[in-house]
Amino acid sequence: MTAPANTKNIRFKIKRQDGPGKASYWQTFDVPYKPNLNVISCLQYIAEHPVTVAGEKSTPVVWDCNCLEEVCGACTMVINGKVRQSCSALLDELLKETPGGMVTLEPMTKFPVVRDLWVDRSRMFNALKTIQAWVPIDGTHDLGEGPKESAENQDVRYSLSRCMTCGCCLEACPQFLLGNQFIGAQAISQARYFNLHGTGKVLADQRLDAMMGPGGITDCGNAQNCVKVCPKEIPLTESIAAIGRQATVHAVKRFFNGPPRK
Ligand code: SF4
Ligand code: SF4
Ligand code: FES
């Protein structure tokens, strides 16, 4: 079924891929305009009416999402050439960017495509494991009060805590490529976040060892694309500079104290 006649249609050009490693192709769909739609509601319409503008029956376009309020990062895709979240991308705003009325949707290019607009973001979560992005407090017994934290420290850590592992910073980074090892701005910033935590900093040396290893901070070319696209306005270049300084001091300590104990 196509959109009802006499309704203004918005045309969506969507890059599709039927599975991992398969060839990609484009399809166009019309979605009847209504005010206040977001991209996900348009994709839901297409899922219900998978018929291309040429009238050919197709399959529902696949995408990923969860929170629908720009918190989980799962719905990130390239919309009209700009990486962003499809839940918070409003059609009325997109139409101002493209007066012709066409909206283009593509999967992120720096992660393997699972299907259509859904990509596999596990590389980001594996990077968080590599840098031990957690506070190591095991057990259920009362550990007493944690270390006190200054208001300034809280401010910085709050700004870093808003990362939703969306991948925008990695999509924009010229050093982060499919198949290479670079850990990327997101994990570097999370290393700073946990190294600033009163208890989390007990793992600071291990995090800095990871940062100095293959794919670590020295792979950052300082192009600063990452900070420009972060939807949470996380100060990524400050994080890169801070971890760079910590890694330098750590390298000197390692030089005098020897390699990490296994
Ligand atoms: S500063 Fe440049 S190279 Fe480094 S993480 Fe950001 S975008 Fe990538
Ligand atoms: S640092 Fe920003 S752009 Fe990068 S993953 Fe986190 S929220 Fe997304
Ligand atoms: S669905 Fe969670 S950020 Fe969009």
Side-chain angles (χ1 to χ4, degrees), residues 98-142:
T98 53
M102 171 96 86
V103 176
T104 306
L105 306 181
E106 298 167 77
M108 284 195 281
T109 60
K110 302 291 180 74
F111 300 93
V113 172
V114 180
R115 186 163 176 170
D116 296 335
L117 303 169
W118 172 24
V119 297
D120 177 357
R121 295 180 298 140
S122 359
R123 180 169 167 187
M124 269 191 289
F125 299 104
N126 290 335
L128 293 177
K129 285 190 209 157
T130 302
I131 60 144
Q132 304 192 43
W134 52 75
V135 175
I137 42 166
D138 284 337
T140 52
H141 53 288
D142 185 358

Side-chain angles (χ1 to χ4, degrees), residues 173-175 182 185 220-226 240:
C173 173
Q175 301 296 112
F182 181 37
C220 169
N222 209 23
Q224 309 200 357
N225 294 7
C226 48
I240 292 164

Side-chain angles (χ1 to χ4, degrees), residues 40 63-76 85-88 164 166 232:
I40 286 193
W63 75 97
D64 194 9
C65 67
N66 189 1
C67 69
L68 302 182
E69 54 181 354
E70 208 185 271
V71 171
C72 73
C75 69
T76 307
Q85 284 66 56
S86 47
C87 63
S88 53
M164 56 176 170
C166 66
K232 299 298 180 188

